[in-house]
Amino acid sequence: MANERIALGINLRQNKNSRNAGYGKYYPVVDQQKTLSLRGLAEHMVSHGSLYGRSVVEGVLNQICECLPELVAQGVPVKLGSLGTFYPTAQVTKNGAVEGYAGMDGLNPGTIVQGIRIRFRPDSTKLDNLCGPKFKERCSLELRNIVDTQEVTLEGKTRKVQTLVPVATAVAEWKAREALEGNDDPDFGGGSTGGNTQGGSTGGNTGGSTGGNTGGGDNGDGPSEG
């Protein structure tokens, strides 16, 4: 019997950049859980039927954590099987470009390299493709929350606090408001094509530009029962 896949939560966050074309729209973001420690990873591996105990697995993982940065610091990319490859890249300082051979004469690379970053490139072979759409096939997606970040002042200090509202709850509240007040809420998309009590441009219960007193026009099909 196959193990049930644990869902990968997908939240929605509103674009609040008024200069962006997507302003006001909601975009998907991953609902990240608490970071798993190295010991937690070792225990997880053992729970999958490893022949070795937690201390042995954890010891090997610790060796990887020590040796991988050492090799990458020498310019040696390290591929961990079907997972992917860790490799170094250079972060350039401001105005760090070298203009011609004259600038290379006696150049100390430390003056143009601000930092060295360890990058990760997931495996993209047909057998073990961990890139984008293919990796999505391994995930069971679940729509969860609307995410918002607000600034609050506590004891004279301003802090950013993240709030989560279940999507199902937000949609239910929107439907309730729509049933009582109409469907012109700009946050959730309202209607030039109809409404319960405030007819749209083509109809509504109390009449749009082409509707009557007791019914909408051609397009007056807004949710009249919530």
Side-chain angles (χ1 to χ4, degrees):
M1 181 176 179
N3 293 330
E4 181 180 355
R5 290 195 297 176
I6 297 176
L8 173 65
I10 298 295
N11 294 333
L12 300 175
R13 185 187 296 275
Q14 188 178 35
N15 183 339
K16 296 185 177 182
N17 183 357
S18 59
R19 294 176 294 180
N20 189 279
Y23 175 66
K25 297 180 180 179
Y26 292 80
Y27 292 87
V29 292
V30 172
D31 183 18
Q32 293 192 35
Q33 305 301 301
K34 183 178 179 181
T35 301
L36 188 66
S37 67
L38 187 141
R39 172 162 293 187
L41 175 59
E43 292 176 348
H44 178 79
M45 293 170 65
V46 171
S47 72
H48 276 258
S50 172
L51 297 176
Y52 305 98
R54 194 266 306 163
S55 59
V56 175
V57 174
E58 185 176 352
V60 172
L61 291 174
N62 275 315
Q63 283 293 102
I64 293 175
C65 292
E66 292 179 9
C67 294
L68 191 148
E70 176 186 350
L71 291 168
V72 174
Q74 298 170 13
V76 180
V78 177
K79 182 174 182 179
L80 294 184
S82 60
L83 181 63
T85 303
F86 292 85
Y87 63 98
T89 61
Q91 181 182 4
V92 183
T93 60
K94 185 178 181 180
N95 302 321
V98 180
E99 297 183 4
Y101 298 131
M104 301 178 194
D105 186 20
L107 176 66
N108 177 0
T111 61
I112 60 173
V113 175
Q114 180 176 341
I116 300 295
R117 294 176 174 175
I118 298 180
R119 301 287 192 181
F120 173 72
R121 180 173 57 249
D123 189 273
S124 59
T125 61
K126 292 183 179 180
L127 182 62
D128 299 295
N129 195 329
L130 299 182
C131 296
K134 293 300 295 182
F135 187 62
K136 173 188 170 184
E137 296 176 3
R138 298 193 180 192
C139 305
S140 176
L141 304 185
E142 176 184 78
L143 188 62
R144 290 182 180 169
N145 305 297
I146 294 175
V147 183
D148 192 18
T149 302
Q150 299 178 349
E151 289 188 352
V152 297
T153 302
L154 298 173
E155 299 180 353
K157 296 182 179 180
T158 301
R159 300 177 181 178
K160 290 185 177 181
V161 177
Q162 180 173 280
T163 60
L164 300 174
V165 177
V167 172
T169 299
V171 171
E173 291 177 351
W174 162 66
K175 287 184 176 180
R177 290 197 306 271
E178 185 181 60
L180 294 174
E181 303 174 6
N183 63 347
D184 57 351
D185 187 339
D187 284 342
F188 294 90
S192 61
T193 59
N196 290 335
T197 60
Q198 300 180 358
S201 62
T202 59
N205 288 343
T206 57
S209 61
T210 61
N213 291 331
T214 59
D218 293 339
N219 296 326
D221 56 355
S224 60
E225 298 181 0

